[in-house]
Structures are given as structure tokens and as C-alpha cells.
Amino acid sequence: MEIQSTSLPVGSRALLIDDVLATGGTLIAAAKLINQVGAQAIASICLLEIECLGGRDKLESHGLVSHAVLKTP
């Protein structure tokens, strides 16, 4: 995963969108990249959350609010 330093204006806010929230690793990595270029990842939304893997808790521990359209136990 990579981002160009000029992709987002410094101080901007970003919503992360992913298809599946499992462990949260991909979204946390994306948020770290966004923060490195001076923007702020503020929330994420996923189509499907696999709740038993605990990704939502990991995202929230990194300051990201998470929403899902569908959830599986």
C-alpha cells in the first residue's frame, strides 16, 4: 500500500471505504499512510464486517469510528 505525499491536502479529513472488515489491518495501515501525509483518517465504512475477528475494536483503539452495512457473527 502506498500514497503520494500530494494526494490529500494537509489538514483534510478522509473516510476509508473497504469491502470487508476482518481484523482491521488494511484499514489501520491506510489510516497510518493518510496521517503520514498530513491528513486525518476519521472513520471507515465497510460492506461486510466479520464481527468474531474483532476488527472494529482494533480500529476504535486507533481512533477510527467504524460502520458496516452487513455483519456476520
Side-chain angles (χ1 to χ4, degrees), residues 41-55:
I42 57 166
S44 69
I45 187 164
C46 298
L47 177 60
L48 175 68
E49 177 183 353
I50 305 171
E51 292 182 301
C52 65
L53 296 178

Side-chain angles (χ1 to χ4, degrees), residues 17-21 45-49 67-71:
I17 301 172
D18 202 355
D19 56 350
V20 176
L21 171 56
I45 187 164
C46 298
L47 177 60
L48 175 68
E49 177 183 353
H67 302 281
V69 177
L70 302 168
K71 297 179 183 181

Side-chain angles (χ1 to χ4, degrees), residues 8-68:
L8 296 169
V10 173
S12 63
R13 300 183 311 158
L15 171 66
L16 303 173
I17 301 172
D18 202 355
D19 56 350
V20 176
L21 171 56
T23 63
T26 302
L27 289 168
I28 290 169
K32 287 180 179 180
L33 285 174
I34 288 169
N35 293 339
Q36 286 177 6
V37 298
Q40 181 185 11
I42 57 166
S44 69
I45 187 164
C46 298
L47 177 60
L48 175 68
E49 177 183 353
I50 305 171
E51 292 182 301
C52 65
L53 296 178
R56 179 184 297 266
D57 293 334
K58 289 180 187 172
L59 291 176
E60 289 178 358
S61 72
H62 283 83
L64 286 171
V65 176
S66 180
H67 302 281

